[in-house]
Structure formats: structure tokens, C-alpha cells
């Protein structure tokens, strides 16, 4: 199952990046530029997590039933460290971007609401 999720994540986030990056130059307003930048950051973060899932699925097939024998080598190896770092960094980038995007949207709704009352 990790194969499917990882590959879909990589392919779909590459597609989202290919669609979003060219439009960032055609920004109509500062808000559109910020919104597009945050969507790009979310795609990059999710792409890193997708790469992590795909690599973990690959190493699971590679090590297979011998994982217990190779556990210490795997956990202290470069691949595990790089994959763990990319997974953590990708998750943090996505979380930060989603939080920022949500706060921007809430503030926009609040401004419209305040403007309609006043």
C-alpha cells in the first residue's frame, strides 16, 4: 500500500508543481501570489513525504524478511537518516504552509465580515 500512496503522491505533487510554478509569474495581486506560493510549498512538502514513502517501500522489499538481522545497520545508516529527515522536513513544511494558508483565509473572511457590518 505504501507503494501506491508514495507513487501517487510523487506524481500528483509533481503535476501540482508543474501547474503552479508557471502561474506564479502571472500574479494578479499580492494575495494571489501568497496563495500560490503557499500551495507550491504544500506540494513540495508532500512531494518529500511521497519520496519517503516510496523509498521506504523499496527498502522494505529489498530487506524483506531480513530486516531483524539488518536493523542496526539500517537505523544507523545514511539512508534511514536522510529519509527520516526528509519525512520530518516535508511534514513541517506542509503543516506550516497549511496553517499560514488557513490563517490568511480566516483573516480575509473576518475582514469581509467586519466591512459588511461597518
Amino acid at each position: 500500500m505504501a507503494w501506491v500512496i508514495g507513487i501517487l503522491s510523487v506524481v500528483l505533487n509533481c503535476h501540482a508543481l508543474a501547474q503552479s510554478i508557471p502561474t506564479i509569474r502571472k500574479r494578479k495581486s499580492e494575495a494571489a501570489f501568497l496563495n500560490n506560493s503557499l500551495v507550491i510549498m504544500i506540494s513540495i512538502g508532500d512531494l518529500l513525504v511521497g519520496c519517503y514513502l516510496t523509498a521506504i517501500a523499496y527498502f522494505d522489499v529489498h530487506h524483506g524478511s531480513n530486516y531483524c538481522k539488518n536493523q542496526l545497520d539500517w537505523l544507523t545508516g545514511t539512508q534511514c537518516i536522510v529519509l527520516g529527515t526528509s519525512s520530518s522536513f516535508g511534514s513541517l513544511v506542509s503543516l506550516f504552509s497549511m496553517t499560514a494558508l488557513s490563517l490568511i483565509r480566516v483573516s480575509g473572511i473576518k475582514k469581509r465580515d467586519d466591512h459588511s457590518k461597518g
Side-chain angles (χ1 to χ4, degrees):
M1 189 60 151
W3 281 106
V4 174
I5 294 170
I7 291 171
L8 278 174
S9 177
V10 169
V11 169
L12 294 175
N13 282 299
C14 284
H15 177 71
L17 286 170
Q19 295 294 317
S20 297
I21 289 175
T23 62
I24 202 163
R25 294 181 185 155
K26 302 173 189 173
R27 62 182 181 175
K28 297 175 184 172
S29 66
E30 187 175 314
F33 175 77
L34 185 59
N35 185 42
N36 202 7
S37 298
L38 289 170
V39 168
I40 289 171
M41 286 178 60
I42 291 168
S43 292
I44 290 170
D46 290 348
L47 179 64
L48 286 171
V49 173
C51 290
Y52 163 78
L53 286 173
T54 305
I56 288 295
Y58 168 77
F59 284 113
D60 179 49
V61 169
H62 182 263
H63 287 291
S65 60
N66 295 327
Y67 176 74
C68 291
K69 295 176 187 173
N70 301 322
Q71 181 181 7
L72 187 59
D73 291 336
W74 166 252
L75 293 174
T76 57
T78 305
Q79 295 125 340
C80 184
I81 293 168
V82 169
L83 289 173
T85 302
S86 69
S87 172
S88 297
F89 183 71
S91 297
L92 288 173
V93 167
S94 290
L95 180 63
F96 167 77
S97 302
M98 287 295 286
T99 303
L101 192 59
S102 298
L103 290 173
I104 290 167
R105 298 229 170 137
V106 166
S107 92
I109 292 169
K110 185 168 174 21
K111 284 180 185 178
R112 280 190 224 125
D113 189 40
D114 290 344
H115 181 45
S116 67
K117 287 182 182 178

